[in-house]
Amino acid sequence: MSFRARLLLVMLLLTLGIQLVASWAVLSAVRSAALEQGKRELDVASGVAVALLEGWGQQLLRNVDLLVDDPRFLAAVDDVLVDTSSRLAAAGTLRQQAARMGADTLLLLDEAGHVMASSQPAAGSGVFVDSWRMPLTTDDAGVVSPSILNGLGYQLVQHPLPPGAGAARLALGFRLDESMASALSGLIGSQAHFDVSVSPNDVAPGQDHQGLSRRLSLYQGELGRIDIVVERSLETLLANYQDVKVSLATIFAVSLGLMLVAVVLIARGVSLPLLRLAGAAKSVGRGEPLDLKRMPRQGEFGLLSSTLLKMQGDLSRREEDMRTRARQDQLTGLGNRQCANEDIEAAIETGRPFTLLRLTINHMRRINDTFGHDFGDRVLSTLAQRLADLPAPKVGAYRLSGDEFLLLLTVARLEPLWLEDTLRGLTRELRLDDSPVSLKVAMGEARFPEHGDEANLLLRRAEIALDRARQLRQAHQCYQRGQDESHLRHLALVRDLQHAAYRGEFSLRYQPQVSALTGRVIGLEALLRWDHPQLGWIPPDEFIELAERSGQIHQLTHWVIDSACAQLASWRDMKLKIRLGINVSAMDLQQPGLIKRVESALDRYGLQGEQLCIELTESALMQSPEMGARKLQALRSMGVELAIDDYGTGYSSLAQLKRMPVQELKIDKSFIMQLIKGSDDDVIVSSTIELAHHLGLQVVAEGVEDQAVADHLAEQGCHVLQGFLIARPMGGEAMTEWLKEKGDVSLRDAANDHHR
């Protein structure tokens, strides 16, 4: 329903309600007043009716006074009472006298009140009515009173007769019947009738009447009861009320019509500006200019119009600011990824060759960890300023995310000299708060149209080249065709890594470690394997690196810890008690929950700490030596043994490692597999073994594949051998059978075997 329709409906309903309430109040007041007035008039009319009856009785009484003094009347009375043969004629005379007096009946009463003669004789019984007795009064002047005669009501007048008249009293009266009631009704202006009952205690039933009535008792005695009822119908009472009702209905109809016209005009006057303002608001929402000619300018609507105009201006400025912010990085002021995409697409539309150079800071995380993120933000801002200050052929500098930036260059390919100068300028030492910071960046290059003709494709291939530069630890790499497949493979592996454990694609392979002197099995190393359902066996070096780069390495480590402890518990139940080594990443060592995870797994499977050996690369330990020492000490306090894996490939020294609570040093297989007596590798291995002995560390040689190498290592003092010569990595069941065949499984220190 539209606003105008709702406004019309509300105003009409309001008007209609007011009119109905006012009409009801007026009509109720008029009706109540009419009824009250009718009640008062009935009270007056009933009193007037009684007074008229009394007055007519008094008039009759005065006539009786004259009648009893008339000798002819007295003679007629004697005739009626003495000569019974002429009673009928005398009765006629009495009737004539009664009629002449305006009465309906005439009675002669004895001293006891019995009727001696009547002008209305009962049928078949003469003039005497023996069954009726009229109460006598002692008033010598006469009295007027209603009474009942033969079941009919009368207004009677009693008057004593002179002595010797033969009768004691004379009673004369007129009937209280319909004719009398009609006469009264005409005089009092109301309907009147008489109710006569022969039982003095009963009220004669009145007629059904819709209106007001008043009942007055005229007589109540041993002969019965006489009531006069004065009534007035509702139609009569409410005659004026009906007239007012018709008038109000007419007024209501006329006012409703006028109000309808007024409401339509008012609604139009209110809704039309509102509709125009609503249209203007929609235009503001769509960003369209406002039509000032159609907008109201006066009053409150004019104020709203000016508000809309101001709102449109504010929205325009805000949208412009948002468009600027949407294309700008808030920290560095460079263009963001959206801005880069738009500029690259615009450059593609020109068709002219250009080059994208994507770069990142290699050690940004270390800067944040060492100096804090505020300092890191200042480093990013400084590098961004250097990028923005680069001269042509640079046409755009952007911050894509984190520590990744992009340069848009209007050249088909980069000149080595320009690249060298740019790299030198970007990586020159920073001094922030007197702290020198050396920057190392890696760059990935992609060219249009050689490497693609879409913005997203060029950005992706520049990222592939950048990843290649970081992997090779080089400053610059240009995209080479065919690298997409490797990149897509890595994306697929990263995607599937998060579900591999749940789907049962991971498994552990176990490779034995034996004493170099006795050949006794003293431990195993758990090696993680991934059997991808589509790609088959994935090399550990590949998916471990991807797990570390994608942040999923912790999930893998948790799975390895739980699975290794479960296998140790299974071997324990088979009476095979042996030590098992598991590899932990540098990122795992920095994770707060690693210690709790190892402790929980040992408790859950009921294992001793000495049955587990945590192997970490020396580069992992050297990333944060102090933190690494604290974590390793916590593991060592649980009895867990610690080993340095792949020793010789990192940048540490034994002096640094001396501070670490480790018990074992594993020489990397790259020094062992091609070991020849007297070679450089031999010098490195022998010196490492000798120094490890002085530091109290056991030495494990990895990658032993030749018996001559094994014998030479034993001669040099190497404690433990591991490699294909002893056994290839096996699954859990195969390793169980292998251990049972060997029979001699021990947790004793291999150094003891060496010195025995």
Side-chain angles (χ1 to χ4, degrees):
M1 185 181 292
S2 65
F3 172 76
R4 180 184 296 182
R6 291 197 300 270
L7 183 60
L8 284 171
L9 181 61
V10 169
M11 295 185 71
L12 283 176
L13 290 177
L14 182 61
T15 303
L16 184 61
I18 293 173
Q19 291 280 6
L20 289 175
V21 170
S23 299
W24 174 82
V26 171
L27 290 176
S28 297
V30 171
R31 191 177 190 278
S32 299
L35 292 177
E36 289 296 327
Q37 181 66 24
K39 291 177 183 179
R40 291 193 294 270
E41 290 179 355
L42 280 178
D43 291 338
V44 173
S46 58
V48 170
V50 173
L52 287 174
L53 291 176
E54 180 67 24
W56 289 342
Q58 292 294 331
Q59 180 64 36
L60 185 59
L61 181 59
R62 287 191 292 272
N63 292 337
V64 170
D65 287 339
L66 297 176
L67 183 62
V68 297
D69 292 334
D70 187 353
R72 290 177 298 176
F73 175 73
L74 295 175
V77 169
D78 290 337
D79 292 341
V80 170
L81 297 176
V82 176
D83 187 2
T84 58
S85 61
S86 60
R87 281 184 178 180
L88 293 176
T93 302
L94 292 177
R95 282 195 294 273
Q96 291 175 358
Q97 290 293 336
R100 186 169 61 84
M101 300 295 292
D104 294 321
T105 186
L106 188 149
L107 303 174
L108 296 177
L109 308 176
D110 61 13
E111 294 292 342
H114 291 99
V115 177
M116 300 174 64
S118 173
S119 62
Q120 303 291 335
S125 59
V127 297
F128 293 103
V129 186
D130 296 330
S131 62
W132 185 82
R133 178 179 179 277
M134 180 176 180
L136 298 179
T137 63
T138 59
D139 191 351
D140 293 338
V143 66
V144 178
S145 65
S147 188
I148 297 175
L149 178 61
N150 289 336
L152 301 175
Y154 287 87
Q155 180 77 308
L156 295 179
V157 174
Q158 292 186 45
H159 198 286
L161 292 175
R169 286 182 177 274
L170 172 67
L172 198 67
F174 50 84
R175 284 271 307 273
L176 299 178
D177 54 8
E178 292 299 326
S179 60
M180 179 57 68
S182 298
L184 282 175
S185 298
L187 293 173
I188 65 176
S190 300
Q191 296 294 323
H193 67 272
F194 298 98
D195 285 338
V196 180
S197 174
V198 296
S199 176
N201 296 323
D202 293 339
V203 178
Q207 301 176 356
D208 293 337
H209 184 73
Q210 297 295 325
L212 298 177
S213 64
R214 289 289 184 272
R215 178 183 293 272
L216 298 177
S217 178
L218 300 178
Y219 167 77
Q220 185 174 3
E222 61 182 9
L223 299 178
R225 180 187 178 100
I226 302 174
D227 293 336
I228 181 171
V229 180
V230 181
E231 300 173 333
R232 183 168 290 184
S233 66
L234 284 177
E235 183 178 357
T236 303
L237 290 171
L238 301 179
N240 292 334
Y241 169 79
Q242 296 297 333
D243 294 339
V244 172
K245 193 174 182 180
V246 172
S247 300
L248 283 177
T250 303
I251 294 172
F252 178 77
V254 173
S255 62
L256 185 62
L258 294 175
M259 183 57 67
L260 179 61
V261 175
V263 165
V264 170
L265 294 176
I266 293 173
R268 178 178 176 82
V270 173
S271 64
L272 186 58
L274 286 178
L275 290 175
R276 290 180 177 177
L277 289 171
K282 291 179 180 179
S283 298
V284 171
R286 292 191 296 265
E288 300 173 353
L290 296 178
D291 186 0
L292 300 180
K293 295 180 180 179
R294 293 180 54 82
M295 295 181 65
R297 300 184 181 181
Q298 303 295 327
E300 291 79 1
F301 293 123
L303 178 61
L304 188 55
S305 297
S306 61
T307 303
L308 283 176
L309 288 172
K310 184 177 182 300
M311 182 189 300
Q312 186 180 50
D314 293 341
L315 287 176
S316 298
R317 288 188 294 272
R318 188 173 303 171
E319 287 176 358
E320 183 63 29
D321 182 61
M322 290 176 64
R323 281 193 293 269
T324 302
R325 289 175 177 271
R327 289 172 48 86
Q328 188 178 58
D329 178 65
Q330 299 303 306
L331 174 63
T332 63
L334 299 180
N336 58 14
R337 180 179 292 272
Q338 178 182 343
C339 180
N341 278 323
E342 294 174 357
D343 290 353
I344 293 171
E345 290 174 354
I348 290 174
E349 290 180 359
T350 64
R352 291 189 292 271
F354 62 85
T355 297
L356 296 180
L357 191 62
R358 191 161 182 166
L359 64 150
T360 185
I361 302 176
N362 288 331
H363 51 281
M364 191 64 212
R365 181 173 181 177
R366 186 181 303 175
I367 292 175
N368 286 329
D369 292 341
T370 305
F371 300 102
H373 287 277
D374 290 340
F375 189 89
D377 289 344
R378 295 171 63 186
V379 170
L380 293 174
S381 298
T382 302
L383 179 60
Q385 188 61 48
R386 291 179 179 180
L387 292 172
D389 293 341
L390 288 175
K394 185 270 296 181
V395 293
Y398 314 90
R399 183 190 181 199
L400 300 182
S401 64
D403 59 350
E404 285 199 21
F405 296 85
L406 180 74
L407 289 175
L408 176 60
L409 308 167
T410 56
V411 290
R413 62 180 59 243
L414 296 180
E415 294 293 336
L417 184 59
W418 181 91
L419 186 61
E420 182 179 349
D421 291 342
T422 300
L423 184 61
R424 188 184 306 111
L426 294 178
T427 58
R428 67 179 183 272
E429 186 179 81
L430 301 178
R431 297 196 65 86
L432 299 175
D433 298 334
D434 295 329
S435 298
V437 179
S438 298
L439 295 182
K440 292 184 179 180
V441 300
M443 300 180 179
E445 177 184 348
R447 305 164 186 160
F448 170 81
E450 179 181 351
H451 297 149
D453 57 359
E454 294 180 359
N456 290 332
L457 179 61
L458 289 170
L459 283 171
R460 181 164 62 84
R461 289 181 170 174
E463 182 180 15
I464 292 173
L466 175 61
D467 288 343
R468 182 66 175 167
R470 286 186 294 191
Q471 291 173 8
L472 298 177
R473 296 185 179 181
Q474 296 179 355
H476 172 265
Q477 278 288 308
C478 183
Y479 172 77
Q480 302 293 327
R481 294 194 180 277
Q483 291 178 344
D484 282 274
E485 289 75 8
S486 176
H487 183 71
L488 293 175
R489 172 185 169 89
H490 289 170
L491 290 178
L493 292 178
V494 170
R495 179 196 63 208
D496 296 339
L497 260 176
Q498 57 186 330
H499 305 296
Y502 174 77
R503 294 170 179 169
E505 299 172 9
F506 288 139
S507 62
L508 289 181
R509 295 291 186 269
Y510 305 94
Q511 189 171 34
Q513 299 171 337
V514 300
S515 171
L517 293 179
T518 65
R520 178 184 293 112
V521 179
I522 63 171
L524 305 173
E525 181 180 4
L527 304 172
L528 181 61
R529 296 293 184 263
W530 182 13
D531 185 9
H532 194 280
Q534 285 81 37
L535 302 177
W537 290 102
I538 309 299
D541 293 343
E542 182 179 9
F543 73 81
I544 293 297
E545 181 183 1
L546 292 175
E548 289 179 337
R549 289 169 57 186
S550 63
Q552 301 184 58
I553 189 63
H554 308 309
Q555 177 184 348
L556 268 65
T557 302
H558 293 168
W559 185 89
V560 169
I561 292 173
D562 289 342
S563 299
C565 290
Q567 184 63 64
L568 281 174
S570 176
W571 283 332
R572 179 200 59 201
D573 297 339
M574 299 178 189
K575 309 302 182 183
L576 297 173
K577 191 174 183 182
I578 195 167
R579 189 191 72 165
L580 181 62
I582 59 174
N583 293 279
V584 172
S585 168
M587 297 179 65
D588 292 319
L589 193 61
Q590 298 173 6
Q591 184 191 17
L594 176 64
I595 308 301
K596 189 67 175 178
R597 188 76 180 188
V598 173
E599 183 180 14
S600 176
L602 292 174
D603 292 342
R604 182 163 61 253
Y605 294 104
L607 300 175
Q608 298 176 0
E610 63 182 7
Q611 292 181 256
L612 195 64
C613 179
I614 300 295
E615 299 183 7
L616 300 105
T617 63
E618 58 175 324
S619 59
L621 293 174
M622 292 304 101
Q623 283 190 9
S624 182
E626 294 182 0
M627 180 185 294
R630 290 195 301 270
K631 293 290 182 68
L632 295 180
Q633 190 60 52
L635 289 171
R636 191 72 191 107
S637 65
M638 292 188 287
V640 176
E641 295 192 359
L642 304 171
I644 300 175
D645 195 16
D646 299 337
Y647 180 78
T649 60
Y651 303 96
S652 64
S653 66
L654 287 176
Q656 291 174 307
L657 297 178
K658 183 180 179 180
R659 297 195 300 269
M660 300 295 176
V662 297
Q663 293 78 48
E664 188 173 280
L665 186 147
K666 301 181 71 174
I667 302 176
D668 187 69
K669 61 184 179 180
S670 62
F671 300 102
I672 304 298
M673 294 180 67
Q674 304 296 328
L675 184 63
I676 299 174
K677 185 181 294 187
S679 64
D680 292 340
D681 289 342
D682 187 27
V683 173
I684 294 174
V685 170
S686 60
S687 61
T688 300
I689 293 173
E690 183 178 358
L691 290 174
H693 287 170
H694 289 294
L695 293 174
L697 301 177
Q698 291 189 114
V699 181
V700 179
E702 296 182 299
V704 179
E705 299 182 356
D706 184 83
Q707 185 62 47
V709 173
D711 295 340
H712 180 66
L713 288 171
E715 293 175 359
Q716 295 291 329
C718 181
H719 304 118
V720 182
L721 304 179
Q722 177 181 345
F724 289 172
L725 177 64
I726 294 92
R728 290 181 175 272
M730 293 174 273
E733 294 182 1
M735 179 53 66
T736 302
E737 295 300 323
W738 190 88
L739 290 173
K740 289 180 178 179
E741 290 177 2
K742 294 291 291 184
D744 190 9
V745 179
S746 175
L747 275 173
R748 286 176 296 172
D749 192 340
N752 295 333
D753 288 335
H754 178 72
H755 294 293
R756 255 187 335 193

